[in-house]
Amino acid sequence: EAIETVVPGYNKSKNETDGPCDPVGYEIAGVVWFQGYSDLVDWPKTLEYPSNLQNLIRDVRADLGIKDLPFVVAELGNHGVDS
């Protein structure tokens, strides 16, 4: 989906205004990506994950037009909090 569909009123340009002083839309400060373990089901998918993640980051930055958009990548465990 386009960002405009997911975030109503989003506008890539934080400098545009509705009137003389009112800013329009949102500013995306960064992205948090939580990685689960579904890629571990298949070894070839596991090996592809680093390049897939790089492609995701590149594509999101390009689609949003924010070349230095920060990404935080976290990993979710698959054995619960007691592991």
Side-chain angles (χ1 to χ4, degrees), residues 13-65:
S13 175
K14 62 184 175 184
N15 296 322
E16 292 183 25
T17 60
D18 273 335
C21 299
D22 300 325
V24 178
Y26 306 87
E27 178 181 351
I28 298 176
V31 174
V32 177
W33 177 261
F34 286 97
Q35 169 57 31
Y37 279 90
S38 60
D39 290 323
L40 293 176
V41 174
D42 182 348
W43 184 245
K45 289 182 182 178
T46 302
L47 296 175
E48 293 173 359
Y49 182 77
S51 64
N52 289 342
L53 181 60
Q54 290 174 339
N55 292 336
L56 171 72
I57 293 170
R58 183 200 63 230
D59 291 348
V60 168
R61 287 175 173 164
D63 288 349
L64 295 176

Side-chain angles (χ1 to χ4, degrees), residues 2 5-9 11-12 17-18 28 36 44-46 48 63-65 68-69 71 77-79 83:
T5 304
V6 177
V7 183
N11 187 319
K12 289 181 190 175
T17 60
D18 273 335
I28 298 176
K45 289 182 182 178
T46 302
E48 293 173 359
D63 288 349
L64 295 176
D68 296 325
L69 181 67
F71 270 75
N78 65 345
H79 299 293
S83 300

